[in-house]
Amino acid sequence: MTDHDEAPALRPLTLAWVNRQLGPGERIVRTEALHGGITAEMRRLTVAAPDGGTRALVLRSFVDPYFVKHAGDLLNREADALAQLAETDVPAPGPVAVDPAAAHCEYPSLLMTRLPGRTVLTDEGLQARVPLLARQLVAIHALDPADRPQRYKAWTTADAVVPAQGSDRVAWAAAIEVIRKPAPPFEGRFMHRDFHPGNVLFDLSPDGSAGPRITGVVDWVQTSWGPADLDVAHCSTNLALLHGPAWGLRFAEAYEEAGGVLASAAGERLYWLLLDALAFAGQVGPVVRPWQEAGRAELTTRAVEERLDAYVISLVDALS
């Protein structure tokens, strides 16, 4: 879903900065606000060339005070990741220009190329998409750049977890005790760190005659070096909340079927899966909004909290 605006909707300094990144005779003829993100303001820019052709760029701007404060690290990390990915087979945007300290724009910004395809969050066709997601994540984890990104950061702690009202207190207490333990040892991997269906673009044939294919992976601001299990866990949690707990459990299986390697001990796997799932406690609202904008109106905050509760119970029961 997008909102269509005129080019002047870009803030003046940002518009001037973007124009300086364009080729001779190129000009912005259209802007669209892209919905679906949580942390940044995203716009698609249609650029016309003198010969009549057009191309599309994407502009990310951090406007929330918290993310403005951390924009230098996040935008530089994404720009570096995109530059590295340009030398690989992983479909990612190409970096065009970055202004991490808002030296030229009103807000810290990153300009990048736009990839074809769209996000797909429907239940329909999920069985065909999950193996593709798994194979794509295996390919990401196979990368070993000379300049490794920063070490991963956990997004919650045992003491910070507050279960939603009505959650199974026994299961959540057990889950919290699992992540209170020290992190298991792991072999470091190149991590997307926010890999989930909302950050993967698909091409779907209109008549369904051809199967889905992935055309891009976006939003690399959290790129890290760390355990493959945690990247798998994050996608698993998102699948569980979007489509039901069984799909969260299924994704780890699909990842291994695609050749990925996870922790050998069940207790270690449980640690990473719960470390991600419990990070959603009290944070469901911001996740739900883009899903609803994408057409999943039935995914209310309460409905997703109930799915999170069911997923945590299933993890504790299945892997403990």
Side-chain angles (χ1 to χ4, degrees), residues 44-234:
R44 172 180 170 171
L45 313 178
T46 301
V47 178
D51 63 4
T54 62
R55 64 185 178 114
L57 300 174
V58 172
L59 176 70
R60 176 197 296 280
S61 297
F62 284 124
V63 299
D64 179 271
Y66 173 83
F67 289 100
V68 168
K69 179 180 178 181
H70 297 279
D73 171 60
L74 295 173
L75 292 182
N76 280 324
R77 196 188 324 179
E78 182 166 31
D80 289 345
L82 296 184
Q84 291 176 323
L85 291 165
E87 305 300 322
T88 74
D89 292 331
V90 174
V96 176
V98 62
D99 182 20
H104 307 284
C105 304
E106 284 84 354
Y107 293 98
S109 298
L110 171 67
L111 187 65
M112 63 195 109
T113 60
R114 179 187 177 274
L115 297 173
R118 61 182 179 86
T119 56
V120 183
L121 305 181
T122 59
D123 289 336
E124 181 182 2
L126 182 61
Q127 188 169 358
R129 298 195 305 273
V130 164
L132 299 182
L133 290 169
R135 287 200 291 270
Q136 185 61 76
L137 191 54
V138 170
I140 291 170
H141 291 163
L143 302 178
D144 189 10
D147 295 325
R148 292 177 176 175
Q150 71 176 37
R151 180 183 171 90
Y152 82 96
K153 295 179 181 178
W155 290 345
T156 194
T157 64
D159 293 332
V161 176
V162 179
Q165 186 175 2
S167 298
D168 186 311
R169 297 291 174 175
V170 174
W172 279 76
I176 289 170
E177 288 310 305
V178 169
I179 70 166
R180 194 180 299 280
K181 301 172 185 177
F186 61 87
E187 181 179 355
R189 297 290 185 186
F190 185 84
M191 301 172 64
H192 182 282
R193 192 61 182 98
D194 195 17
F195 186 88
H196 60 79
N199 282 334
V200 179
L201 305 177
F202 282 90
D203 175 54
L204 303 179
S205 60
D207 58 2
S209 58
R213 66 182 183 90
I214 290 176
T215 58
V217 181
V218 300
D219 199 353
W220 294 83
V221 297
Q222 300 289 350
T223 306
S224 308
W225 188 260
D229 280 81
L230 189 53
D231 249 2
V232 171
H234 190 60

Side-chain angles (χ1 to χ4, degrees), residues 166-175 240 245 249 270 274 277-278 305-320:
S167 298
D168 186 311
R169 297 291 174 175
V170 174
W172 279 76
L249 297 173
L270 181 63
L274 287 174
L278 298 189
E305 286 176 342
E306 290 174 350
R307 283 189 172 180
L308 177 61
D309 183 45
Y311 180 54
V312 170
I313 293 171
S314 70
L315 289 177
V316 172
D317 289 346
L319 297 175
S320 61

Side-chain angles (χ1 to χ4, degrees), residues 8-63:
L10 284 178
R11 297 176 182 89
L13 293 178
T14 302
L15 177 60
W17 176 74
V18 171
N19 281 332
R20 291 197 293 273
Q21 317 308 321
L22 304 181
E26 287 190 321
R27 59 190 181 89
I28 300 171
V29 295
R30 185 180 182 186
T31 73
E32 304 168 40
L34 299 176
H35 299 298
I38 297 175
T39 62
E41 181 182 275
M42 306 290 293
R43 285 187 176 275
R44 172 180 170 171
L45 313 178
T46 301
V47 178
D51 63 4
T54 62
R55 64 185 178 114
L57 300 174
V58 172
L59 176 70
R60 176 197 296 280
S61 297
F62 284 124
V63 299

